[in-house]
Amino acid sequence: MHTDPVASLDIGGTKIAGALVDGNGSILVRAQRPTPAREDGETVMRAVEAVLAEVSASPLWASATAIGIGSAGPVDASAGTVSPVNVAGWRGFPLVERVRAATGGLPVTLVGDGVAITAAEHWQGAARGYDNALCMVVSTGVGGGLVLNGKLHPGPTGNAGHIGHISVDLDGDLCPCGARGCVERIASGPNIARRALEGGWRPGPDGDTSAAAVAAAARAG
């Protein structure tokens, strides 16, 4: 059993989170910043560096042996670059190189965030004990990952199972990825809320227009 802590980064369109995780999957230290998704690439990277600085301030950091990154996609694990659809300032951004430099040369592994959540669910969660699984994450975007024949299947670039940009309505809304009617354009959190508002839904007295508020309103009839 691997016991030394491993550092981790979770990069999405809404937040950037970092942690130190032990060999049992317990989170020892965590930090978080909002993602400045509308800013330029260097501003986003400074938010990543702030998260890393907070996590690395822990005395436990000295025993960290590697860092894993799960990023909104698409990613290119072979090149170490990311181009998240919801972070316009990052297109082919050399995230692995920059994180390696910011952490003093720790080994870095990059996968899409859907692949990362699939690894976690197969190890500790809902897919544990299954040889084949598709795991999904629905947040600012929609991602996914695959377990095939008992093993995580990230694919050659770390994007296998990333179903958010499969087009399911060829005449649908234009997606920031350039296609029309993508799953993400219909079923991500912000787009669930957008489509509800366009369809006539109105928020309650608190003015909450999030997807969570839409879900609560649906449950209430």
Side-chain angles (χ1 to χ4, degrees), residues 60-173:
L60 298 172
W61 178 266
S63 57
T65 56
I67 182 163
I69 305 173
S71 175
V75 306
D76 187 339
S78 59
T81 60
V82 298
S83 304
V85 170
N86 295 311
V87 183
W90 276 3
R91 291 295 177 266
F93 189 82
L95 185 60
V96 167
E97 176 187 328
R98 296 292 298 273
V99 168
R100 187 182 293 121
T103 56
L106 278 177
V108 181
T109 297
L110 168 69
V111 293
D113 57 359
V115 175
I117 196 173
T118 300
E121 292 293 343
H122 192 234
W123 178 30
Q124 298 273 6
R128 189 173 184 175
Y130 290 92
D131 288 337
N132 300 285
L134 166 67
C135 297
M136 291 178 60
V137 54
V138 179
S139 187
T140 310
V142 175
L146 298 169
V147 173
L148 301 175
N149 297 319
K151 294 182 179 180
L152 188 69
H153 181 72
T157 62
N159 295 290
H162 183 30
I163 65 170
H165 293 286
I166 293 174
S167 180
V168 294
D169 180 0
L170 297 180
D171 297 318
D173 292 338

Side-chain angles (χ1 to χ4, degrees), residues 30-81:
R30 70 170 73 211
Q32 184 173 307
R33 296 285 190 284
T35 304
R38 298 182 183 275
E39 305 297 329
D40 63 272
E42 287 302 318
T43 300
V44 180
M45 187 62 208
R46 283 195 291 273
V48 173
E49 290 168 344
V51 168
L52 288 170
E54 185 172 341
V55 173
S56 64
S58 166
L60 298 172
W61 178 266
S63 57
T65 56
I67 182 163
I69 305 173
S71 175
V75 306
D76 187 339
S78 59
T81 60

